[in-house]
C-alpha cells in the first residue's frame, strides 16, 4: 500500500484542467476547425492535402447543422440546452452510444474520454449499457441499412426527455458513404439531432467541449 501511495504522489495529477484551466496545446499538425468560407465541417473527411485553410481550433461542435458551414462571421458554437432540460440534465446525464457502421475511429476517441486524462465522469457524464437508463443517444457511423432499425429501436426505448448527439462526419452527413445506396444521409435523416460534433474522427477535446457547452458548463 505504501508503494502505491508513493507512486501516486510521484505521478501527481494526470487529468487536464480543461475547461477551468488554460486550453491544452495541441500538436502543430492538428488542423481543427476549417475557416475557408463555404466549407462544411460536417462533411470533411481525412485528407492531408485538401487545400482548405484551418484554424487549429478544437472548438467545432454546433447545435445546428447549418452552423457547421464556415462563413465570414464567427462560427456559432454549440448552445446550452433550454432551462428545463438543464434543470434535468445539468448535473448528471447518462449516454447510450450506438456504433452504426462506424470504422471505430470515433468510437475510440469517445472511449478516450473515460481515461484519467479527461475523466468524463467528473462532469456527471457517464455511458450506460441500456437505452432505458439513458438520457441521451450518441451516434457514430453512417447508419447503413442494416443498422437503421437498431438505431430507431434504441432511440424509441429511451425515456423522455432525451437528446441526440451525432459524433463524426459519418454520423452527420454519411461521410464517404453518403452517396451509397446502403447508407443514410447522417443520423439527422432518421432522428432529431441536438448536437453535431464534426471530425474524422473528432478530437476528444472537440467532443468534450461540445458536451460541456450543451450542458451549460461552458458559455464563452
Amino acid at each position: 500500500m505504501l508503494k502505491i501511495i508513493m507512486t501516486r504522489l510521484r505521478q501527481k495529477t494526470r487529468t487536464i484542467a480543461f475547461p477551468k484551466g488554460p486550453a491544452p496545446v495541441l500538436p502543430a499538425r492538428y488542423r481543427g476547425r476549417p475557416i475557408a468560407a463555404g466549407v462544411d465541417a460536417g462533411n470533411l473527411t481525412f485528407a492531408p492535402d485538401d487545400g482548405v485553410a484551418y484554424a487549429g481550433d478544437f472548438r467545432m461542435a454546433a447545435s445546428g447543422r447549418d452552423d457547421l458551414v464556415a462563413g465570414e462571421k464567427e462560427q456559432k458554437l454549440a448552445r446550452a440546452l433550454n432551462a428545463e432540460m438543464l434543470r434535468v440534465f445539468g448535473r448528471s446525464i447518462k449516454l447510450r452510444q450506438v456504433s452504426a457502421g462506424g470504422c471505430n475511429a470515433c468510437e475510440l476517441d469517445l472511449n478516450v474520454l473515460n481515461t484519467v486524462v479527461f475523466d468524463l465522469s467528473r462532469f456527471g457524464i457517464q455511458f450506460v449499457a441500456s437505452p432505458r437508463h439513458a438520457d441521451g443517444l450518441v451516434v457514430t457511423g453512417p447508419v447503413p441499412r442494416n443498422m437503421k432499425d437498431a438505431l430507431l429501436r434504441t432511440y424509441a426505448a429511451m425515456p423522455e426527455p432525451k437528446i441526440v448527439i451525432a459524433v463524426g462526419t459519418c454520423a452527420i452527413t454519411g461521410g464517404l458513404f453518403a452517396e451509397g445506396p446502403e447508407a443514410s444521409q447522417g443520423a439527422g435523416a432518421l432522428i432529431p439531432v441536438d448536437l453535431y460534433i464534426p471530425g474524422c474522427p473528432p478530437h476528444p477535446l472537440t467532443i468534450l467541449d461540445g458536451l460541456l457547452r450543451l450542458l451549460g458548463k461552458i458559455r464563452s
Side-chain angles (χ1 to χ4, degrees):
M1 177 59 72
L2 183 58
K3 289 183 179 180
I4 294 176
I5 294 175
M6 294 301 295
T7 299
R8 184 66 186 86
L9 290 174
R10 285 196 300 270
Q11 290 179 342
K12 300 182 180 180
T13 301
R14 295 296 182 93
T15 305
I16 60 174
F18 181 82
K20 293 184 178 180
V25 178
L26 298 178
R29 294 181 63 186
Y30 176 73
R31 298 185 302 169
R33 176 172 55 86
I35 56 177
V39 175
D40 184 0
N43 201 36
L44 286 177
T45 53
F46 179 71
D49 301 311
D50 56 10
V52 176
Y54 295 89
D57 190 348
F58 63 82
R59 300 173 300 170
M60 299 170 61
S63 298
R65 177 66 185 87
D66 293 340
D67 295 339
L68 295 178
V69 180
E72 296 180 357
K73 297 182 180 180
E74 186 176 355
Q75 180 191 13
K76 293 182 180 179
L77 297 174
R79 301 179 296 274
L81 295 167
N82 61 48
E84 176 60 21
M85 294 286 273
L86 285 180
R87 185 188 67 81
V88 177
F89 299 139
R91 297 183 64 183
S92 175
I93 188 168
K94 311 297 183 184
L95 304 174
R96 175 67 169 93
Q97 193 263 329
V98 171
S99 178
C103 69
N104 265 354
C106 294
E107 293 83 349
L108 285 172
D109 278 342
L110 282 167
N111 287 339
V112 167
L113 294 178
N114 290 311
T115 63
V116 67
V117 175
F118 297 96
D119 191 15
L120 187 64
S121 62
R122 64 189 160 123
F123 302 107
I125 307 172
Q126 295 179 320
F127 286 92
V128 294
S130 171
R132 300 189 186 279
H133 300 159
D135 307 306
L137 176 61
V138 178
V139 185
T140 57
V143 196
R145 181 179 57 174
N146 288 342
M147 280 300 297
K148 284 184 180 180
D149 188 54
L151 178 62
L152 293 174
R153 284 173 178 265
T154 301
Y155 179 75
M158 294 169 52
E160 297 284 354
K162 53 191 172 186
I163 62 175
V164 175
I165 303 166
V167 175
T169 297
C170 287
I172 295 174
T173 64
L176 294 172
F177 311 98
E179 302 302 324
E182 297 296 323
S184 305
Q185 303 298 310
L190 302 172
I191 52 180
V193 175
D194 301 280
L195 179 65
Y196 298 89
I197 305 178
C200 185
H203 193 282
L205 278 170
T206 302
I207 303 173
L208 181 58
D209 179 76
L211 292 174
L212 295 183
R213 290 180 185 279
L214 187 71
L215 297 177
K217 299 181 185 297
I218 298 179
R219 295 184 180 271
S220 59

